[in-house]
Amino acid sequence: MASDGDGAAAVAALGISGGGGDDWAPPLRRNLPLLAPHEVELAKLLLSEGQSHLFEHWPEPGVDDDKKRNFFDQVCRLNSSYPGGLASYIQNARKLLADSKAGKNPYDGFSPSVPSGEVLTFGDDNFVSLEEAGVKEARHAAFVLVAGGLGERLGYKGIKVALPRETTTGKCFLQHYIESILALQEASCKLVEGECNTKIPFVIMTSDDTNALTVKLLESNSYFGMEPSQVHILKQEKVACLADNDARLALDPNDKYKIQTKPHGHGDVHALLYSSGLLEQWKSTGRKWVLFFQDTNGLLFNAIPSALGVSATKGYNVNSLAVPRKAKEAIGGITKLTHVDGRTMVINVEYNQLDPLLRATGHPDGDANCETGYSPYPGNINQLILEIGPYMEELQKTHGAISEFVNPKYTDSTKTAFKSSTRLECMMQDYPKTLPPSAKVGFTVMDAWLAYAPVKNNPEDAAKVPKGNPYHSATSGEMAIYRANSLILRKAGAQIADPVIDTFNGQEVEVWPRITWIPRWGLIFKDVKAKVHSNSSVSQRSALVINGKNITIQGLSLDGTLIVNAKDEAKFNVTGHIENKGWTIQHVDHKDTSEKEEIRIRGFKFNKVEQLELNY
Ligand SMILES: O=c1ccn([C@@H]2O[C@H](COP(=O)(O)OP(=O)(O)O[C@H]3O[C@H](CO)[C@H](O)[C@H](O)[C@H]3O)[C@@H](O)[C@H]2O)c(=O)[nH]1
């Protein structure tokens, strides 16, 4: 830090007179001697971008000097972490805020239509062969989890990847993701003749909100069996908040020497990957695919093998996973956009933009269901599979910058003031927007029961979801695992009892038998079919935990709780009639603070009365 004397010299050297009317807000002028030359440059930048208010409250030198210096440390970080620096950020913000105020449609000139993509049916021959193709490709893949989000809508205090995916085993999302990647690695390697030492890389994008807890979760669980060198953490920086339509930066309400910041969105992942150097490394070691996914979709890995199979067999540069979408559901719609000048693109139109776009282009009902009971636009679940070569070529041009948007909440229709500060955001699924028309952009649709069950909404909001639309809550997220596993076993020939309907935290859900397995057991449908025989049955009140790769089920009739553990490659056949009191489901009110938060948000817990545990 420059001494007072140095600062004054620096000021003089930079030719700053200390005058210039409003340019040098008086409180800043008085503090100039405190600043190092690079800080003076940053101050000039801020003033030239209309940010003199940031200094209005600064006291005389000698008071809060450390805080003033910390302020410039933060400005320096904000300036270096945004492509083009803070000046670009403020200019982009001013333009986007003006467009928003004017009600400008970001899709001006485009008309939407329903695109065609690959529609897969679980368990048919095409699905099975795509799964096999996907497993074969998996050893050329790298996975990227975007997990920098706060999960504001869920309101959970911890990080979302640490939440149990289901509470029968209690395994968290991150453990399930890692075990799934390792299972893919193992299965894919098995298909190679000779030795295969492939380690599938796994990147986690964190933010200041999630980084420390994510690292702690990994380290305290020995990376859930993954080699630490396989895992790369990339932390995204937040961006400055905007207080008004002039893009004046907002000060932190709790610290007037700090600019308030918020996450910039999952779109940051492309710029971070670009600057990390990982892509070159991956390409040079034979990687072909980069798979992006989100923090809480416990069904996702049911869809990965076949979707990767689609990418490989269709030669897609970009493949987005989708599920049938209910109108107004909070997932973007995959849409074909045709511009008046003839350009077309297939892209996600975010859920808050689809309705206005449709209304503005001759669809008076806006975002509505069609005769199928679903929106005609497939719902984007934000699982993207990018082919690494074309991806790297594109990033060479864009450096990973993704088109941004702003979403201010105005106090009234004059759109002159915001309810709270806003910021620019970007989304990873907007990546195809800059691609040339020659790019092969496709999508793959699967049933939601198989592929999509996120945990995003808190109990109160979930209970208000229109009837028939998915809740996207901790309750529905867990119940969806049991339903999917039950349906998969049914398809494999087992007799799985029908569900009962119950209501937890105000949400009516189907309660299927609580069946779970480790990814090594049932990575693809062919594996499940080979291990389950049709003469087996599971009653509705049962729980079945399959915890071993080579466990087979033959002639089992289960009415109660059964946990089967078999180590490594040990073979074990589960058979016979097993009956016990089992685990009953106990309702928990989400306001009951005597329960743990992860239990309260799902509205139930298991009362473990009796079980049979087999260890082999
Ligand atoms: O700055 C951020 C913001 C979010 N995330 C991560 O991005 C993912 C998605 O965040 P949200 O769950 O908040 O996303 P939304 O529900 O708003 O919407 C996104 O997910 C939906 C499907 O779940 C749809 O695909 C939609 O089009 C897409 O934008 C999460 O893993 C979150 O941790 C970050 O890493 N950094």
Side-chain angles (χ1 to χ4, degrees), residues 515-558:
I515 300 172
T516 72
W517 56 74
I518 53 166
R520 287 183 86 213
W521 182 80
L523 186 64
I524 53 176
F525 185 51
K526 200 177 155 200
D527 296 340
V528 177
K529 254 176 103 170
K531 291 170 186 169
V532 174
H533 301 277
S534 52
N535 53 356
S536 293
S537 66
V538 180
S539 72
Q540 190 279 329
R541 65 176 197 91
S542 293
L544 171 61
V545 178
I546 304 171
N547 197 11
K549 187 183 171 199
N550 293 321
I551 291 168
T552 48
I553 296 174
Q554 195 162 29
L556 168 73
S557 138
L558 176 64

Side-chain angles (χ1 to χ4, degrees), residues 145-153 160 205-207 210 236 262-268 293-296 321 330-333 348-351 379-383 423 425-429 452 454-456 472:
L145 166 64
V146 290
L150 262 176
E152 274 166 306
R153 278 181 285 156
K160 287 171 80 181
M205 180 173 82
T206 59
S207 67
T210 62
Q236 64 176 146
K262 283 189 184 167
H264 188 220
H266 36 74
D268 280 349
F293 66 110
Q294 303 195 151
D295 48 18
T296 59
L321 254 75
I331 63 177
N348 170 73
V349 175
E350 199 57 339
Y351 45 91
N380 162 48
I381 63 168
N382 245 11
Q383 153 71 54
R423 83 290 198 180
E425 294 176 75
C426 61
M427 303 190 296
M428 69 170 168
Q429 66 268 36
Y452 186 58
V455 176
K456 302 205 190 208
H472 296 173

Side-chain angles (χ1 to χ4, degrees), residues 63-271:
V63 182
D64 289 346
D65 288 352
D66 284 347
K67 290 183 178 170
K68 293 171 191 162
R69 288 175 183 132
N70 290 344
F71 170 85
F72 274 103
D73 288 346
Q74 186 199 16
V75 171
C76 189
R77 278 196 308 278
L78 290 171
N79 191 45
S80 60
S81 61
Y82 185 83
L86 256 180
S88 290
Y89 179 77
I90 296 165
Q91 288 155 19
N92 292 344
R94 224 173 267 134
K95 186 176 170 307
L96 287 167
L97 285 164
D99 288 350
S100 168
K101 186 173 182 197
K104 197 171 158 199
N105 176 358
Y107 296 105
D108 226 9
F110 284 101
S111 47
S113 58
V114 180
S116 56
E118 292 298 308
V119 181
L120 306 189
T121 306
F122 175 76
D124 71 6
D125 291 348
N126 180 45
F127 186 88
V128 168
S129 70
L130 285 170
E131 281 203 321
E132 286 188 282
V135 170
K136 202 166 155 213
E137 283 300 312
R139 65 180 179 276
H140 304 304
F143 283 82
V144 180
L145 166 64
V146 290
L150 262 176
E152 274 166 306
R153 278 181 285 156
L154 184 65
Y156 174 64
K157 286 200 197 70
I159 48 169
K160 287 171 80 181
V161 292
L163 276 172
R165 170 180 174 256
E166 35 76 20
T167 51
T168 297
T169 66
K171 283 187 187 175
C172 68
F173 283 102
L174 190 56
Q175 175 165 10
H176 175 73
Y177 295 151
I178 288 181
E179 287 183 355
S180 299
I181 295 169
L182 291 176
L184 274 167
Q185 176 180 298
E186 181 185 3
S188 193
C189 264
K190 262 210 166 133
L191 301 174
V192 180
E193 276 180 33
E195 210 180 329
C196 170
N197 294 318
T198 290
K199 302 276 176 241
I200 296 178
F202 179 35
V203 168
I204 308 176
M205 180 173 82
T206 59
S207 67
D208 279 326
D209 296 322
T210 62
N211 189 68
L213 289 174
T214 307
V215 172
K216 193 170 159 217
L217 181 65
L218 285 165
E219 286 179 350
S220 56
N221 289 285
S222 310
Y223 288 73
F224 297 111
M226 196 169 247
E227 284 184 15
S229 59
Q230 269 175 277
V231 183
H232 307 268
I233 306 271
L234 300 177
K235 184 163 79 70
Q236 64 176 146
E237 292 297 331
K238 291 184 186 175
V239 287
C241 288
L242 307 156
D244 58 25
N245 281 326
D246 295 325
R248 282 158 33 114
L249 304 184
L251 283 171
D252 188 325
N254 302 315
D255 184 348
K256 58 188 176 167
Y257 293 100
K258 233 187 195 170
I259 293 171
Q260 193 184 17
T261 57
K262 283 189 184 167
H264 188 220
H266 36 74
D268 280 349
V269 74
H270 301 293

Side-chain angles (χ1 to χ4, degrees), residues 465-506:
V465 164
K467 203 169 163 56
N469 276 23
Y471 299 116
H472 296 173
S473 67
T475 313
S476 61
E478 174 158 357
M479 289 302 173
I481 308 287
Y482 306 136
R483 179 179 50 184
N485 288 349
S486 294
L487 290 172
I488 292 170
L489 289 196
R490 262 193 188 175
K491 183 86 186 163
Q495 282 139 50
I496 308 297
D498 281 337
V500 296
I501 304 290
D502 204 342
T503 301
F504 304 98
N505 282 342

